Amino acid sequence: MPDRQPTLDEQIAIYQREYRDLDPQVEKVVNALSRLDRRMNVAYGRQLGTLGLSSPEWEVLKELVMAGSPYQLWPGTIAKRLGLTPAAMTHRIDRMLTQDLVTRERDPDNRVRVIIGLTDTGREKWLEVMRMASVFEEDLLQDLSTEERVQLGELLTRLLRRVEHAQPDAGGRLTDLD
């Protein structure tokens, strides 16, 4: 038994051997995207680890930053965007509170609800991650010209739109992974 993963071309050749109706060009694109996604997630996870963050914590920081100033959201809104249960969201926020990444305060307009806010520490962590990611991403794309980057971005966006249209409910997780 081989102890290494087959190359992309080897994998497609094996698939074609076992399934003759396979379109090798389609399979190459889909499998290259899958392999790239997996390796990028590992690289990002390692970068987050060096900053003392987990991927789930990064997701919350990202949602708060995307909300814009004053960087606040209801926990239910964050949970919905991330595909989490309210209990999982509470657990995640509790961990982040101990690290001073977020605040949890009563909503002044509705005392029953709480608002999650980004702290200065949380914003600085987000900026550190973005700086590290920018270096990694620039290195990843270094062999592509500006025109190729534009074209690749447009092509991937078209694929993403198709998937989002076909699977509109698949943006979050189906089960909690925390």
Side-chain angles (χ1 to χ4, degrees):
M1 283 196 197
D3 60 348
R4 68 169 181 82
Q5 181 180 24
T7 67
L8 187 56
D9 289 332
E10 290 170 341
Q11 179 180 347
I12 292 167
I14 292 166
Y15 283 3
Q16 281 186 291
R17 179 190 72 211
E18 300 297 325
Y19 180 62
R20 300 243 183 253
D21 293 335
L22 182 81
D23 182 333
Q25 285 75 35
V26 169
E27 205 61 31
K28 189 168 199 167
V29 168
V30 171
N31 278 281
L33 287 171
S34 177
R35 286 183 179 205
L36 181 61
D37 178 60
R38 188 171 39 247
R39 283 167 175 75
M40 288 177 66
N41 283 331
V42 168
Y44 289 136
R46 288 178 180 150
Q47 288 181 338
L48 290 171
T50 66
L51 298 174
L53 282 175
S54 67
S55 292
E57 292 162 346
W58 163 250
E59 290 175 340
V60 172
L61 294 179
K62 183 173 61 173
E63 290 299 327
L64 289 168
V65 168
M66 290 188 343
S69 184
Y71 310 111
Q72 296 177 332
L73 289 170
W74 292 309
T77 300
I78 302 170
K80 183 177 180 181
R81 290 179 183 177
L82 299 179
L84 299 173
T85 64
M89 189 74 250
T90 299
H91 178 68
R92 190 174 290 186
I93 294 300
D94 287 346
R95 285 193 321 250
M96 295 178 75
L97 284 166
T98 65
Q99 299 172 62
D100 190 37
L101 299 172
V102 297
T103 59
R104 178 172 40 207
E105 299 173 357
R106 289 276 169 215
D107 184 340
D109 298 328
N110 180 344
R111 301 293 295 158
V112 176
R113 296 183 85 163
V114 296
I115 295 176
I116 305 303
L118 187 65
T119 64
D120 290 341
T121 302
R123 179 148 171 78
E124 185 52 40
K125 286 282 186 184
W126 180 84
L127 287 168
E128 287 180 63
V129 171
M130 291 302 292
R131 285 189 281 270
M132 290 177 76
S134 293
V135 171
F136 169 74
E137 292 159 359
E138 188 62 38
D139 184 58
L140 176 68
L141 298 176
Q142 69 179 325
D143 296 333
L144 300 181
S145 69
T146 301
E147 295 80 23
E148 289 171 322
R149 290 178 186 199
V150 168
Q151 185 178 22
L152 180 61
E154 289 171 359
L155 292 170
L156 291 174
T157 300
R158 280 179 34 204
L159 294 177
L160 179 60
R161 275 193 220 112
R162 177 170 292 283
V163 170
E164 287 176 341
H165 179 73
Q167 304 289 326
D169 61 338
R173 296 182 177 145
L174 298 178
T175 59
D176 183 35
L177 301 177
D178 281 345

